[in-house]
């Protein structure tokens, strides 16, 4: 019996040696394709809803973004803490030069719009005193606005909406975060597919030597495609805590890399998501932006009234009460229109004051295993059965191909 098996093996040496290699390649290719299917394409390609494909993460961008927000706000940092780190006096100091640059223009534009003759006839010295008074009181105005913003932050700003909006609008950025945070794990999935496939292929070779049944090749192809994906995904997250067997400790690959992942995640989120520019945009364009503008408008109008305390009766007599109100409203609108450009000047200070990269990384490193797993696990969990099924189907197809070649 053994002599017949050995003769069969030697007579068809290359055929049998090809089995582990083909099995290894099937494992590798199916795993790599599974990873690609998680991220690509960004938009649906084909005929919706069934004939086509969209990457799992881009397709579930809203949910993935919401999970990211949950990780950030529940375990890493809250919007209250973000704004508490900004010193109102420092913000006023940083913005003062930028405000000084626009004060003259706004005063001139408003006065020329409503009272061009009166303003043009005014002596330059008087105009300069008006400019100086407005500039002098600008820091206090900023301080008051910052104080109100901090006091009512939950009614003025929605961090969750900002993050979800940003990541849903830029699915490529969402992919980038998952790809870079889980880079080592995704490489492992590809490589492990080859090694596990190779082992299954050796078993296939031995079985085929003894039992040359046609159904074995498709069956092994199906098994390789299924098992290599399933085992690789399992090894990424399990076990959560180190399990020691003799001198060797076993732990899920992602869980083992918590310190490194924390650094990458802190860098990515602070560089692309929780940036000062995005936070400012969330204030000016978020769901509570109307409240923010109303609050700023009230402060600016009050400041205008304070600037004209002595001259107000004379001004309202000269231009009329309604015109005076229109002038204040116009000043408010012009200030608000300048906000996006003006607030860019605080980005460098805010980046330093918030220190988000260090905060996120440090706190992420101290998360419990269940909390840490929730960062990457959702990328696989929701539709991992699809990835495993696709791997099994591809493996089955290769097995059928092997069968046709052998019996051709």
């Amino acid at each position: 019996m053994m002599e017949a098996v050995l003769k069969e093996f030697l007579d068809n040496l290359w055929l049998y040696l090809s089995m582990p290699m083909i099995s290894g390649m099937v494992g590798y290719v199916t795993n790599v394709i599974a990873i690609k299917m998680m991220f690509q394409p960004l938009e649906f390609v084909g005929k919706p809803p069934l004939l086509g494909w969209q990457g799992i993460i881009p397709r579930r961008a809203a949910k993935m973004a919401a999970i990211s927000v949950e990780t950030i706000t529940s375990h890493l940092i809250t919007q209250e803490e973000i704004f508490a780190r900004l010193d109102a006096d420092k913000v006023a100091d940083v913005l003062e030069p930028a405000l000084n640059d626009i004060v003259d223009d706004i005063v001139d534009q408003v006065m020329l719009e409503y009272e061009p003759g009166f303003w043009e006839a005014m002596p330059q010295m008087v105009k300069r005193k008006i400019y100086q008074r407005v500039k002098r009181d600008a820091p206090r105005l900023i301080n008051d606005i910052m104080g109100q913003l901090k006091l009512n932050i939950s009614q003025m700003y929605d961090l969750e909406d900002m993050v979800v909006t940003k990541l849903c609008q830029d699915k490529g950025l969402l992919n980038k975060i998952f790809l870079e945070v889980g880079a080592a794990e995704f490489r492992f999935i590809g490589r492990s597919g080859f090694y596990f496939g190779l082992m299954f292929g050796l078993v296939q070779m031995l079985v085929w030597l003894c039992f040359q049944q046609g159904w074995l090749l498709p069956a092994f192809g199906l098994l390789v495609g299924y098992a290599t994906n399933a085992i690789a995904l399992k090894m990424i997250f399990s076990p959560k805590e180190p399990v020691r067997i003799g001198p060797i400790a076993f732990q899920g690959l992602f869980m083992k890399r918590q310190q490194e992942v924390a650094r990458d995640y802190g860098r990515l989120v602070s560089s692309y998501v929780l940036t000062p520019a995005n936070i400012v945009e969330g204030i000016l364009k978020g769901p509570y932006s109307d409240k923010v503008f109303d609050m700023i408008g009230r402060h600016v109008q009050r400041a205008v009234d304070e600037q004209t305390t002595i001259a107000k009766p004379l001004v309202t007599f000269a231009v009329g009460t309604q015109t005076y109100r229109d002038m204040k409203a116009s000043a408010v609108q012009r200030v608000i229109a300048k906000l996006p450009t003006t607030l860019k000047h605080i980005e460098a200070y805010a980046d330093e004051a918030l220190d988000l990269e260090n905060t996120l990384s440090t706190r992420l490193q101290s998360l419990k295993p269940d909390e840490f797993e929730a960062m990457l696990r959702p990328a696989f969990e929701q539709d991992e059965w699809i990835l495993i099924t696709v791997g099994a189907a591809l493996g089955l197809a290769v097995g059928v191909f092997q069968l046709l070649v052998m019996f051709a």
Side-chain angles (χ1 to χ4, degrees):
M1 177 66 178
M2 284 299 298
E3 291 181 0
V5 169
L6 181 59
K7 183 176 186 306
E8 167 67 17
F9 179 76
L10 294 175
D11 287 346
N12 298 281
L13 180 62
W14 293 110
L15 174 66
Y16 283 106
L17 291 180
S18 71
M19 287 183 177
M21 295 306 299
I22 291 174
S23 184
M25 290 306 299
V26 169
Y28 176 80
V29 170
T30 55
N31 283 16
V32 169
I33 289 175
I35 295 169
K36 294 292 184 184
M37 290 177 66
M38 288 180 61
F39 298 98
Q40 299 296 332
L42 290 178
E43 303 296 338
F44 192 91
V45 174
K47 187 175 182 180
L50 299 177
L51 297 177
W53 184 256
Q54 181 181 12
I56 291 174
I57 288 179
R59 176 156 50 89
R60 299 189 178 277
K63 182 172 183 178
M64 296 298 178
I67 290 170
S68 297
V69 170
E70 175 67 19
T71 300
I72 292 169
T73 57
S74 297
H75 306 300
L76 304 183
I77 195 167
T78 64
Q79 61 187 31
E80 286 78 12
E81 184 178 354
I82 288 175
F83 283 89
R85 293 185 177 189
L86 297 174
D87 181 82
D89 292 330
K90 182 63 176 177
V91 170
D93 289 342
V94 173
L95 286 181
E96 187 173 359
L99 288 172
N100 288 344
D101 289 341
I102 68 172
V103 162
D104 295 7
D105 288 340
I106 290 179
V107 173
D108 285 341
Q109 288 169 8
V110 172
M111 294 303 297
L112 289 173
E113 180 180 355
Y114 289 94
E115 288 297 324
F118 173 75
W119 187 246
E120 288 176 354
M122 185 175 289
Q124 195 63 34
M125 182 179 68
V126 177
K127 290 182 180 178
R128 280 199 298 271
K129 287 186 177 180
I130 294 173
Y131 298 147
Q132 289 168 1
R133 181 165 181 173
V134 175
K135 292 174 183 178
R136 184 193 66 199
D137 289 350
R140 182 172 62 83
L141 172 63
I142 296 170
N143 210 306
D144 289 346
I145 291 173
M146 284 290 296
Q148 285 294 308
L149 188 60
K150 288 183 179 182
L151 189 63
N152 302 285
I153 189 61
S154 60
Q155 287 82 43
M156 297 284 185
Y157 184 65
D158 189 337
L159 178 65
E160 179 176 350
D161 177 81
M162 185 275 284
V163 174
V164 171
T165 299
K166 178 68 177 175
L167 293 179
C168 287
Q169 287 176 346
D170 190 350
K171 297 183 181 70
L173 174 57
L174 186 63
N175 275 358
K176 179 182 178 70
I177 291 173
F178 277 106
L179 278 167
E180 292 198 23
V181 166
E185 286 66 40
F186 295 126
R187 286 195 299 270
F188 167 77
I189 290 175
R191 289 196 301 263
S192 67
F194 178 78
Y195 297 130
F196 290 135
L198 193 66
M199 288 188 291
F200 283 119
L202 289 172
V203 175
Q204 178 193 40
M205 181 186 73
L206 295 174
V207 171
W208 184 258
L209 268 171
C210 301
F211 306 99
Q212 295 187 3
Q213 300 295 318
W215 59 269
L216 283 173
L217 295 176
F220 266 98
L222 178 71
L223 177 64
V224 170
Y226 174 88
T228 53
N229 279 1
I231 293 172
L233 290 172
K234 187 72 173 176
M235 290 181 67
I236 288 176
F237 299 103
S238 296
K240 295 177 185 177
E241 300 278 6
V243 174
R244 186 167 292 280
I245 300 177
I248 303 175
F250 296 92
Q251 187 179 13
L253 298 178
F254 185 68
M255 316 306 292
K256 188 186 297 184
R257 288 197 319 115
Q258 183 165 351
Q259 302 300 307
E260 181 184 345
V261 169
R263 290 192 296 272
D264 289 340
Y265 188 81
R267 172 180 55 81
L268 288 164
V269 172
S270 63
S271 298
Y272 298 102
V273 183
L274 291 184
T275 65
N278 287 343
I279 292 172
V280 168
E281 184 177 355
I283 295 173
L284 301 182
K285 296 182 180 180
Y288 302 135
S289 58
D290 288 345
K291 291 184 178 180
V292 174
F293 291 143
D294 287 344
M295 182 264 290
I296 293 173
R298 289 195 301 273
H299 278 77
V300 173
Q301 289 201 10
R302 190 189 70 190
V304 172
D305 283 336
E306 290 175 354
Q307 301 303 324
T308 58
T309 300
I310 299 175
K312 183 177 179 181
L314 178 62
V315 173
T316 53
F317 176 77
V319 304
T321 301
Q322 186 57 49
T323 301
Y324 177 70
R325 290 174 181 164
D326 292 343
M327 290 169 68
K328 288 197 298 180
S330 178
V332 169
Q333 292 304 314
R334 292 176 190 277
V335 168
I336 289 174
K338 295 281 188 179
L339 280 177
T341 303
T342 304
L343 291 177
K344 286 184 179 297
H345 291 80
I346 70 167
E347 289 180 9
Y349 159 70
D351 192 45
E352 179 183 351
L354 296 178
D355 191 26
L356 287 176
E357 180 175 349
N358 180 59
T359 298
L360 298 176
S361 299
T362 302
R363 293 180 181 177
L364 192 57
Q365 288 171 347
S366 63
L367 287 186
K368 296 177 181 177
D370 285 343
E371 297 166 340
F372 180 68
E373 179 193 31
M375 283 183 53
L376 190 64
R377 181 61 173 164
F380 298 98
E381 195 168 33
Q382 190 71 33
D383 289 323
E384 69 180 28
W385 68 271
I386 297 177
L387 304 177
I388 294 172
T389 301
V390 168
L394 291 171
L396 177 63
V398 173
V400 171
F401 175 76
Q402 281 182 299
L403 180 64
L404 294 176
V405 170
M406 284 189 175
F407 287 91

